[in-house]
Amino acid sequence: NAGVTQTPKFQVLKTGQSMTLQCAQDMNHNSMYWYRQDPGMGLRLIYYSASEGTTDKGEVPNGYNVSRLNKREFSLRLESAAPSQTSVYFCASSGPGTGRNQPQHFGDGTRLSIL
Amino acid sequence: GDSVTQMEGPVTLSEEAFLTINCTYTATGYPSLFWYVQYPGEGLQLLLKATKADDKGSNKGFEATYRKETTSFHLEKGSVQVSDSAVYFCALGGDGGYQKVTFGTGTKLQVIP
């Protein structure tokens, strides 16, 4: 019963470094999401993938790229990290289908600090 | 666009006190409404949901009723426990070709013995 698994759990980067956050789900969900969580701002959607082979920008996509590798995996890449990207990143998935009744299932997050 | 407004925290209650966390929304169409809970160091978990007007969602002693006339979905619990200490998020599931969810900013609840 793994659900949504994110790696790594913690990471410290220097400004300008790159890294990829990994996410995998084992619930056969079609849709996957990346959010960032900052104090006082709730969750903000970075990118989403409604189904395998498609990705779209969310509310705050600048500075990020994503890859939907297959139905299970959805990665988030920071090409050149900036201090403003210090945050907690959550991956989520939902399905089957894309109806508005579907709740999202979250991983435990990646805590990323950029110095 | 869709939006969710929930009461600011933190909310501090004594054990066995009554809890209300207010949530109101703005949306087009007929959204679904959710409450999620986040315990320290963890991701969000679905607490309860309601998919149409006058529906009541309930789980673990928590309840919320979908009130279309007041565009509200307030979370209530009759007697809170220390283990209920967490951050609670109200959320709206709208239409958009995918399972788009709009989250409130979260309300931190602290229950003291």
Side-chain angles (χ1 to χ4, degrees):
Chain A
N1 260 12
V4 178
T5 302
Q6 292 184 235
T7 55
K9 294 190 184 304
F10 301 94
Q11 185 71 48
V12 178
L13 293 178
K14 295 180 179 179
T15 298
Q17 287 185 316
S18 63
M19 81 161 295
T20 300
L21 309 185
Q22 306 287 351
C23 174
Q25 52 91 10
D26 62 1
M27 295 173 283
N28 201 35
H29 285 168
N30 289 324
S31 302
M32 298 185 73
Y33 315 84
W34 277 105
Y35 293 92
R36 58 178 290 173
Q37 184 179 32
D38 301 294
M41 302 189 74
L43 276 76
R44 293 183 291 171
L45 183 65
I46 304 171
Y47 270 93
Y48 66 96
S49 171
S51 61
E52 185 179 358
T54 69
T55 61
D56 282 288
K57 295 178 180 179
E59 184 184 352
V60 288
N62 291 347
Y64 305 95
N65 286 300
V66 291
S67 295
R68 183 74 183 266
L69 304 171
N70 47 54
K71 191 171 186 179
R72 291 186 64 249
E73 298 173 285
F74 189 39
S75 62
L76 178 72
R77 182 161 179 84
L78 287 71
E79 290 290 352
S80 179
S84 61
Q85 295 177 304
T86 293
S87 188
V88 182
Y89 291 86
F90 288 99
C91 177
S93 69
S94 67
T98 57
R100 58 183 172 81
N101 298 335
Q102 301 288 341
Q104 295 189 1
H105 300 257
F106 286 80
D108 284 340
T110 295
R111 285 141 186 85
L112 181 61
S113 293
I114 298 162
L115 307 177
Chain B
D2 296 347
S3 66
V4 175
T5 302
Q6 59 182 108
M7 62 187 290
E8 292 198 17
V11 174
T12 302
L13 295 174
S14 297
E15 206 166 21
E16 300 184 1
F18 185 86
L19 168 71
T20 300
I21 300 178
N22 290 336
C23 172
T24 58
Y25 68 90
T26 303
T28 56
Y30 303 94
S32 294
L33 299 172
F34 306 88
W35 277 100
Y36 287 83
V37 58
Q38 183 180 31
Y39 299 103
E42 298 184 8
L44 279 70
Q45 305 172 25
L46 179 68
L47 180 60
L48 53 85
K49 73 174 185 180
T51 58
K52 61 183 187 298
D54 300 325
D55 266 3
K56 178 185 284 188
S58 61
N59 186 25
K60 300 181 181 179
F62 291 90
E63 293 183 339
T65 301
Y66 188 162
R67 302 286 189 198
K68 198 171 191 302
E69 64 276 13
T70 55
T71 61
S72 65
F73 192 54
H74 305 321
L75 182 68
E76 297 181 336
K77 186 175 185 182
S79 175
V80 294
Q81 306 300 312
V82 172
S83 57
D84 293 327
S85 299
V87 181
Y88 292 82
F89 291 88
C90 185
L92 180 157
D95 296 317
Y98 69 102
Q99 209 279 312
K100 178 183 177 184
V101 176
T102 301
F103 289 90
T105 54
T107 302
K108 184 174 182 178
L109 170 66
Q110 183 177 15
V111 181
I112 55 177

